[in-house]
Amino acid sequence: MTNPQPDDEAPRTDSSDTEVVSRARAVVPGGAQTGLRAQAYDCGDVAFESADGATLTTVEGEELTDYHLAFGPILLGHGHPEVDSAVRETIDRGVLYGAGTTELEAEVAERLADLLPSVEMVNFCNSGSEATYHAIRLARAHTGNEKLLKFEGCYHGWHDYVDVSVYPPAEALGDVDGGPERKPFAESDGMLSSAVENTVVVPFNNPEALREAMEIHGDELAGVILEPVLHSVGCLRPTDEFVAVLDAETSERDVPLIFDEVITAFRHAAGGMQSELGVSPDLTCVAKAMGNGYPVAAVGGRRELLAQAGGDNESGVVISGTYSGHPVGLSAAKATLDIVASEEVPELLADLGDRYRAGLRDLLDDHGIEGRVVGFRSIFSLQFGVTGEPRDYEDVAGLDEERFREFAQGMRDRGHFFTPNPYKRHHLSLAHGDEDLAAYLDDADEALMEM
């Protein structure tokens, strides 16, 4: 699964990782395009020149097995030939039209409607943050309400609507006047205070708190949004009771339910987690694995809600974007979704993920290190200083952050790349195989021994 290289391949630069990072720091805040990307520097300066399959190559020529995968979009491996070939063919025909539609746009929308059980119509955009932004606007327009209910620890993008109580510090934890809600915590300076105030925060996997919060706020909610498997803090899997209460409360009160499947759709199941949980959300947000690294995202859902953005009435919902439905992203999505469906990619990666998790659990036991291995299917992570199956954010908030960074440093030194952020996760791609698994576990054995 490698890209053919041109005969006159460009020569490698003579720069070092540190030189490139220093140049970036002079002109880019933090030396990277987001603070999350800059966290990679916790294990030393790193600048990348190329990627292929499951391998990243730095400007110094060091090869690292990639378990970060750009926070998860790379599902098939870097430079997948079928995806990249489809993109090249599209580029040759033209990259942006900005009016009307294309057959490709209709085809990918049809494909999403076929795969995702709840989706009847689709609006394309370019990132998961855009998708959740659009979904919430559609829900607010539909209900006439402004308040949004979200769950502590869930990440739905960086915008003011949702950047609340994702990683609240210990001193910010606590109930509101002894009720079922958590105190909303703004994750960024500069956020609109009214956006924070209009956010109802409830602990994940707490059906009683959810039921009480819906009783109090149900009539004033625009929608309820969540990750169906919460991966922003490693992995929190929803309990059957929690899912049942979520479904019943939103349905009975006619509150739009928004599934943020930006991470889970196509990576965990071709039909998203909604195809397995038995819940039909009103709106669904997808991105990441949908395009194997190319920028493409979408919000889909019930026709009644999506039709508000049709632009054929006087007071409809405005969803706009010059690059929305970009042919490059859509051609990547079409090729990726074809492969996901035809080659049973989620099932293959789930089996591989099981073996990584089992091996890591054995190593923790062998070395007598306090910790746990969490994850689901193609996602896994080590969490030190905590034990037991985590159910909510508070079960994760006490993990040993420095211990994880020590492990990440040890593994980086041995040629394995993943973010040293202890709340994040490893991802697997179709390019990973048994040799990568064996090498990872052997080196993890050494790294844990040193710890």
Side-chain angles (χ1 to χ4, degrees):
M1 296 183 182
T2 57
N3 269 335
Q5 296 297 319
D7 293 336
D8 55 345
E9 185 174 351
R12 184 183 302 282
T13 69
D14 293 327
S15 299
S16 69
D17 288 1
T18 296
E19 288 170 337
V20 174
V21 172
S22 295
R23 288 174 58 192
R25 283 189 168 127
V27 289
V28 175
Q33 289 304 309
T34 67
L36 283 175
R37 291 190 194 183
Q39 288 173 348
Y41 304 147
D42 289 351
C43 289
D45 291 342
V46 64
F48 297 110
E49 181 182 76
S50 64
D52 183 71
T55 302
L56 297 171
T57 303
T58 73
V59 297
E60 296 176 359
E62 181 185 12
E63 293 188 347
L64 300 168
T65 304
D66 186 11
Y67 291 96
H68 179 53
L69 298 177
F71 289 105
I74 311 299
L75 181 65
L76 308 178
H78 293 282
H80 191 280
E82 292 178 45
V83 177
D84 288 357
S85 176
V87 168
R88 291 190 189 96
E89 290 177 10
T90 295
I91 290 173
D92 288 342
R93 293 195 297 270
V95 297
L96 190 64
Y97 309 111
T101 190
T102 65
E103 185 174 10
L104 180 61
E105 184 175 326
E107 190 170 9
V108 178
E110 290 167 348
R111 180 64 53 84
L112 291 176
D114 287 341
L115 288 173
L116 300 168
S118 67
V119 170
E120 297 174 337
M121 300 191 82
V122 174
N123 242 127
F124 291 110
C125 48
N126 298 286
S127 70
S129 289
E130 285 180 77
T132 60
Y133 186 96
H134 294 331
I136 293 165
R137 177 172 283 187
L138 289 166
R140 284 179 168 149
H142 177 72
T143 61
N145 294 330
E146 294 189 359
K147 283 192 174 182
L148 180 73
L149 189 149
K150 75 175 297 287
F151 296 90
E152 195 172 56
C154 279
Y155 176 74
H156 305 294
W158 51 262
H159 54 84
D160 288 10
Y161 286 178
V162 287
D163 201 13
V164 177
S165 296
V166 183
Y167 306 108
E171 60 270 19
L173 296 175
D175 298 330
V176 178
D177 299 326
E181 304 162 46
R182 300 292 201 183
K183 297 175 183 176
F185 175 78
E187 295 286 341
S188 172
D189 291 343
M191 288 178 61
L192 194 65
S193 59
S194 61
V196 180
E197 293 162 2
N198 275 297
T199 304
V200 178
V201 180
V202 176
F204 190 79
N205 260 341
N206 189 324
E208 196 54 46
L210 173 58
R211 191 180 287 113
E212 290 181 39
M214 293 294 289
E215 178 68 29
I216 296 169
H217 298 286
D219 292 339
E220 52 186 357
L221 287 178
V224 174
I225 187 170
L226 83 160
E227 299 176 70
V229 177
L230 202 167
H231 280 306
S232 59
V233 291
C235 181
L236 300 178
R237 296 175 63 175
T239 65
D240 291 343
E241 183 185 5
F242 176 70
V243 171
V245 171
L246 176 73
D247 188 26
E249 288 289 333
T250 53
S251 297
E252 291 170 9
R253 299 179 187 279
D254 197 23
V255 175
L257 176 60
I258 305 168
F259 266 20
D260 178 350
E261 295 230 42
V262 166
I263 294 176
T264 56
F266 320 121
R267 173 169 283 282
H268 288 338
M273 289 309 301
Q274 60 192 261
S275 66
E276 300 185 11
L277 292 176
V279 177
S280 184
D282 300 284
L283 293 164
T284 299
C285 303
V286 293
K288 289 194 184 294
M290 174 179 170
N292 199 51
Y294 288 91
V296 61
V299 56
R302 287 169 38 207
R303 184 175 303 275
E304 179 184 4
L305 275 77
L306 266 294
Q308 297 176 106
D312 56 0
N313 55 31
E314 295 182 0
S315 58
V317 173
V318 174
I319 293 181
S320 187
T322 299
Y323 300 103
S324 296
H326 197 288
V328 166
L330 292 183
S331 61
K334 178 185 174 184
T336 300
L337 294 176
D338 282 347
I339 295 167
V340 167
S342 64
E343 299 186 17
E344 298 183 337
V345 173
E347 293 79 5
L348 291 171
L349 294 184
D351 175 71
L352 186 59
D354 286 342
R355 289 187 280 151
Y356 271 88
R357 284 186 290 273
L360 282 171
R361 290 188 179 107
D362 288 344
L363 290 177
L364 286 180
D365 289 341
D366 291 346
H367 293 287
I369 293 176
E370 183 183 36
R372 65 190 175 203
V373 181
V374 299
F376 184 63
R377 296 185 181 169
S378 64
I379 287 177
F380 66 94
S381 185
L382 270 170
Q383 295 179 345
F384 295 97
V386 287
T387 57
E389 183 71 19
R391 285 173 52 93
D392 60 19
Y393 176 77
E394 285 194 73
D395 285 343
V396 179
L399 60 80
D400 190 330
E401 299 183 15
E402 290 307 314
R403 197 81 157 151
F404 182 81
R405 292 189 183 98
E406 184 182 354
F407 175 70
Q409 181 71 70
M411 293 299 282
R412 173 92 61 95
D413 293 343
R414 291 169 171 82
H416 308 274
F417 182 80
F418 50 89
T419 176
N421 183 324
Y423 295 94
K424 294 301 180 183
R425 56 204 178 265
H426 293 59
H427 306 85
L428 296 172
S429 76
L430 201 59
H432 290 87
D434 290 342
E435 290 184 5
D436 300 303
L437 169 64
Y440 183 95
L441 293 178
D442 284 346
D443 290 337
D445 190 15
E446 291 184 4
L448 292 170
M449 188 180 300
E450 288 183 356
M451 292 168 59

